[in-house]
Amino acid sequence: MTARMQAPRTTPTSLKILTVVVALAYAASGISPYDRTTWLLESTPVLVLMPILWWTRASFPLTPLLYAGIGVQLVGLLVGAAYTFPRVPLGEWLREAFDLSRNPYDRLGHVVQGIVPALAARELLVRRTPMREGALLAFLTACIVMTFSASYELVEGLVAITIGTIAFF
């Protein structure tokens, strides 16, 4: 049996670095986004998540790896918000380099959208429940990630329908 995973001794430096990087990315992405409404909608999760991370920093500090993953996810989200996902230059470069039919940036975002919540869910389960390594931990982690991602997509779709950016058939 493995020992219970302990909370990191100190993570304020990781959270401070994350905050600076995300704040700079947020500012840069908002300077002249392709579509202001899309930018507002796509950048909102940053404004929700960052205060939660600061609020929980003492009671549930995350590992530096998870803070870094969250940083990658949020910066990627802000880049997509600034250009809109189908127009991100990195995706265009990948499309041309690999002779793809469309810009794959949103697909890369979905991969990160799976990995980062999986790290967070696993950390939460290992640190706050008696659960340890094994099939049940992996299964529940996957269930949490799928639930989170599906919920996010549903909310995103409902917002798009509500503001009229897409039609519901």
Side-chain angles (χ1 to χ4, degrees):
M1 179 168 334
T2 60
R4 185 168 183 90
M5 184 177 168
Q6 296 297 315
R9 286 192 184 100
T10 176
T11 55
T13 302
S14 299
L15 182 56
K16 288 176 186 176
I17 291 169
L18 168 67
T19 302
V20 169
V21 169
V22 170
L24 291 171
Y26 189 88
S29 73
I31 290 172
S32 184
Y34 181 81
D35 177 76
R36 181 63 63 184
T37 302
T38 299
W39 178 82
L40 286 169
L41 293 172
E42 295 286 355
S43 64
T44 297
V46 174
L47 299 177
V48 172
L49 186 59
M50 290 306 297
I52 292 171
L53 293 176
W54 277 94
W55 184 54
T56 60
R57 74 187 183 278
S59 62
F60 196 79
L62 304 177
T63 61
L65 174 65
L66 186 49
Y67 280 129
I70 291 168
V72 168
Q73 184 171 9
L74 294 181
V75 169
L77 188 66
L78 290 168
V79 169
Y83 289 98
T84 72
F85 283 83
R87 292 179 179 84
V88 172
L90 172 62
E92 282 302 306
W93 177 80
L94 291 170
R95 185 183 62 77
E96 290 174 16
F98 295 103
D99 195 30
L100 302 172
S101 62
R102 64 178 218 140
N103 182 322
Y105 188 78
D106 63 326
R107 292 178 184 174
L108 294 173
H110 282 98
V111 169
V112 174
Q113 177 72 19
I115 293 170
V116 174
L119 291 171
R122 185 188 181 287
E123 191 166 318
L124 179 69
L125 290 170
V126 169
R127 286 176 44 192
R128 297 292 181 166
T129 71
M131 193 168 300
R132 297 294 160 256
E133 294 294 330
L136 184 59
L137 177 62
F139 175 74
L140 288 177
T141 298
C143 288
I144 291 169
V145 170
M146 288 188 289
T147 301
F148 176 79
S149 293
S151 298
Y152 188 89
E153 293 294 329
L154 287 171
V155 168
E156 193 175 49
L158 288 172
V159 168
I161 291 167
T162 302
I163 67 170
T165 57
I166 64 170
F168 184 69
F169 297 93

